[in-house]
């Protein structure tokens, strides 16, 4: 951010504390830590900046001077090397608005102490006197104040108690998709100020003391998403600092409700919220603040997290909101978003890869010739094995009523394709065995399957070829027709001599004519026999053509389902890889 942005946040804070005084803030890269000029005060702060690597702690040095009612603050942001990449150039950190607000708030406090020489405790706090510099004397001095633990620790009831909230995510214990619950283990920290307490650390011998929580007023801050009791060990003590700040830290096992979206299971990323607010105190009484930068919370959580199970922490963000109602009742709340990602290796190895293997084996079963191999028994065995596989791995699949995971749709489509391939195999087997007894192929099947789909899958309908029987039957039929055109009355006249007078001798001059008549008679009988044979051959050829067309229909359907198999497997693999890459790119 530029110096104008820093002044835009700094000026309202300093003007609220000291109206009429003129302060200016400027950047000066010449100042050095622990070497302020005479008359200048120094404040060094390590804060978090928006960096591209985990080592995002950046040191900022402030030099301050107040002359009469005009003050000057010089700031220097130190560049920092990357802890992982030593060859990387030194870069200047860019502060987020939240971190910059906290940084300048601390700067104003240091100006009050070092330039205006004010006591860090509030002006209306009770300064305790210790008889001796030891804990018993301090506890004796605190006893009258601790009796006021039933009321909010403010002198003026119109004053607001600021509660700083932060936590460290120690572990992600699990996610229940069916019950829509996220179970985490956090170290929760609250800090607020007791305006009745203040002591001199030198006089009392210590700057802080641990006391039972029951001796203090404790803010009624709850987590709205809490769905079960806290089973973490209880911590009965809190720390009380010399300036009146009370630090309360305790472990909490949080079983919180979370709207889980498992459509892309097992490559899903879940965004769950933890909302902290007072249960009964309104905004005018209690205000929620962020205790430490959210970048520090995320980095500390990653460093201390011990559970390396199914879920991986990606990010932690926060936002502030005011929960109001129509009757003017308003509650301040702070919302943390916890983004976690499921580790998908277990599900890829145990679910996706075996399923892809089985569907690939079923795909290559189309290469088996249906004329000589019984493919139906092979496919039925695959379906049985795939069903048993789904029953065994059913416990790994999420159970929820919101949405159907994409992986369930994938398994259902795989099973549907296996069943479809089995039905198609049964159809082809039936056509190969009984196609000769089927009726001719309907016209719409011929157009849709044989002509359109056949060309689409590379099995076009072969053109009809005239058989040799049809080509050679023409002359025989012509001869028979010519013979049939002769007058029928000549036949009885020529047959009477043979039937009635078989013993009568034929004159030698008529013997050639009689031989011609006998040859003609034999040709007529031969023509009738050929005609009968032609009719039978035509029937056989027509039956074979119908059978070939039905078999062609079966082969086209087989090739079409094979192409659909390849398309489905290709699209499935590409979709799975894209979802996986998109999940791990975040």
């Amino acid at each position: 951010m530029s110096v104008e942005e820093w002044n835009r946040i700094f000026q309202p804070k300093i003007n609220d504390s000291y109206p009429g005084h003129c302060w200016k803030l400027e950047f000066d890269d010449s100042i050095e830590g622990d070497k302020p000029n005479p008359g200048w005060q120094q404040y060094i702060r390590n804060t978090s900046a928006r960096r591209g690597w985990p080592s995002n702690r950046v040191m900022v040095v402030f030099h301050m001077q107040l002359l009469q009612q005009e003050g000057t603050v010089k700031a220097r942001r130190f560049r920092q090397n990357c802890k992982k990449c030593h060859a990387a150039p030194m870069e200047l950190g860019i502060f987020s608005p939240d971190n910059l607000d906290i940084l300048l708030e601390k700067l104003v406090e240091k100006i009050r102490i070092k330039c205006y020489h004010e006591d860090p405790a509030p002006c209306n706090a009770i300064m305790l006197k210790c008889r001796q510099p030891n804990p018993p004397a301090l506890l004796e001095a605190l006893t009258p104040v601790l009796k006021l633990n039933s009321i909010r620790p403010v002198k003026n009831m119109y004053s607001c108690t600021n509660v700083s909230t932060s936590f460290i995510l120690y572990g992600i214990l699990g996610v229940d998709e069916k019950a829509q619950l996220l179970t985490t283990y956090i170290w929760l920290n609250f800090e607020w100020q007791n305006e009745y307490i203040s002591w001199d650390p030198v006089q009392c011998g210590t700057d802080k003391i641990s006391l039972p929580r029951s001796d203090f007023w404790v803010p009624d801050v709850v987590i709205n998403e809490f769905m079960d009791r806290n089973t973490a060990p209880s911590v009965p003590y809190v720390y009380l600092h010399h300036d009146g700040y009370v630090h309360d830290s305790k472990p909490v096992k949080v079983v919180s409700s979370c709207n889980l979206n498992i459509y892309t299971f097992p490559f899903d990323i879940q965004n769950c919220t933890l909302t902290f607010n007072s249960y009964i105190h309104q905004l005018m009484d209690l205000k929620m603040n962020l205790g430490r930068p959210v970048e520090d919370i995320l980095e500390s959580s990653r460093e201390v997290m011990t559970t390396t199970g199914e879920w991986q922490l990606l990010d932690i963000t926060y936002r502030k909101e005011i929960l109001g109602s129509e009757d003017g009742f308003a509650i301040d709340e702070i919302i943390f978003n916890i983004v976690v990602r499921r580790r998908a290796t277990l599900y890829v190895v145990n679910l996706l890869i075996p399923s892809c293997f089985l569907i690939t084996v079923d795909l290559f079963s189309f290469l088996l010739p249906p004329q000589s191999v019984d493919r139906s028994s092979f496919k039925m065995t695959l379906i049985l094995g795939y069903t048993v596989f789904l029953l065994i791995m059913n416990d790994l699949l999420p159970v929820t009523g919101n949405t159907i995971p994409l992986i369930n749709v994938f398994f259902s489509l795989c099973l549907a394709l296996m069943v479809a391939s089995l039905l198609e195999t049964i159809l082809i087997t039936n056509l190969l065995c009984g196609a000769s007894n089927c009726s001719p192929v309907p016209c719409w099947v011929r157009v849709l399957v044989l002509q359109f789909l056949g060309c689409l899958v590379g099995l076009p309908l072969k053109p009809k070829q005239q058989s040799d029987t049809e080509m050679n039957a023409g002359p025989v039929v012509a001869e028979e027709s010519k013979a049939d055109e002769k007058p029928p009355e000549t036949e009885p006249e020529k047959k009477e001599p043979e039937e009635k007078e078989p013993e009568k001798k034929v004159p030698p001059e008529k013997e050639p004519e009689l031989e011609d008549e006998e040859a003609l008679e034999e040709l007529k009988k031969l023509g009738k026999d050929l005609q009968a044979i032609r009719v039978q051959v035509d029937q056989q050829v027509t039956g074979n053509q119908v059978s070939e067309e039905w078999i062609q229909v079966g082969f086209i359907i087989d090739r079409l389902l094979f192409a659909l198999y390849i398309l489905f497997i290709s699209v499935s693999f590409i979709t799975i890889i894209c979802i996986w890459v998109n999940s791990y790119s975040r």
Side-chain angles (χ1 to χ4, degrees), residues 48-318:
S48 294
R50 195 178 304 157
R51 300 290 298 275
W53 47 78
S55 57
N56 57 0
R57 303 292 296 179
V58 178
M59 184 176 70
V60 182
V61 176
F62 296 99
H63 287 180
M64 306 164 288
Q65 185 184 44
L66 175 64
L67 298 176
Q68 296 181 354
Q69 294 185 355
E70 294 184 358
T72 303
V73 177
K74 293 183 179 181
R76 180 183 178 184
R77 300 167 293 171
F78 281 82
R79 298 175 182 267
Q80 184 182 15
N81 276 325
C82 177
K83 290 184 179 180
K84 292 185 176 181
C85 306
H86 300 287
M90 301 180 67
E91 292 191 8
L92 191 64
I94 302 175
F95 297 94
S96 65
D98 296 328
N99 292 340
L100 186 58
D101 186 85
I102 297 174
L103 174 65
L104 297 181
E105 184 72 31
K106 297 293 184 181
L107 173 62
V108 172
E109 293 181 5
K110 294 300 180 180
I111 291 175
R112 289 175 49 211
I113 298 172
K114 296 187 176 184
C115 295
Y116 290 94
H117 306 288
E118 294 183 1
D119 195 289
C123 58
N124 54 0
I126 301 175
M127 181 63 69
L128 302 178
K129 303 295 183 181
C130 298
R131 296 180 180 179
Q132 296 178 358
N134 53 40
L138 177 59
L139 179 60
E140 181 182 357
L142 288 171
T143 301
V145 181
L146 296 180
K147 294 181 180 179
L148 303 176
N149 60 352
S150 298
I151 61 174
R152 192 162 56 91
V154 290
K155 280 286 188 176
N156 187 353
M157 292 307 296
Y158 293 100
S159 299
C160 178
T161 300
N162 294 311
V163 179
S164 299
T165 306
S166 65
F167 68 90
I168 295 177
L169 183 60
Y170 187 73
I172 303 173
L173 304 183
V175 175
D176 189 347
E177 292 89 356
K178 185 176 182 179
Q180 299 279 293
L181 296 177
L182 170 68
T183 304
T184 54
Y185 196 86
I186 64 175
W187 294 339
L188 188 58
N189 300 292
F190 294 120
E191 192 174 62
W192 66 94
Q193 189 174 30
N194 190 323
E195 296 183 2
Y196 297 107
I197 298 176
S198 176
W199 74 82
D200 185 1
V202 178
Q203 183 185 17
C204 297
T206 181
D207 60 345
K208 62 181 179 180
I209 185 173
S210 62
L211 296 172
R213 182 182 285 104
S214 58
D215 292 341
F216 294 89
W217 174 89
V218 178
D220 57 335
V221 177
V222 296
I223 302 176
N224 287 343
E225 293 83 3
F226 219 103
M227 301 297 293
D228 201 354
R229 63 187 182 91
N230 179 24
T231 58
S234 61
V235 179
Y237 296 97
V238 298
Y239 261 118
L240 177 63
H241 295 263
H242 70 283
D243 54 1
Y245 279 95
V246 182
H247 182 77
D248 185 8
S249 181
K250 56 185 177 181
V252 181
K253 182 182 179 181
V254 182
V255 181
S256 59
S257 62
C258 181
N259 186 15
L260 301 176
N261 183 12
I262 58 173
Y263 179 72
T264 57
F265 173 90
F267 311 107
D268 51 330
I269 297 176
Q270 306 298 339
N271 189 346
C272 301
T273 60
L274 296 179
T275 305
F276 294 85
N277 62 268
S278 173
Y279 191 77
I280 194 171
H281 288 92
Q282 300 186 32
L283 178 61
M284 63 181 66
D285 298 329
L286 192 145
K287 184 178 180 181
M288 302 294 300
N289 295 319
L290 185 64
R292 58 186 299 190
V294 71
E295 290 83 1
D296 285 359
I297 296 176
L298 176 60
E299 183 178 357
S300 300
S301 299
R302 286 174 173 172
E303 289 176 355
V304 303
M305 186 173 292
T306 58
T307 58
T308 57
E310 183 180 356
W311 295 92
Q312 177 185 3
L313 178 63
L314 289 185
D315 194 12
I316 297 178
T317 60
Y318 95 102

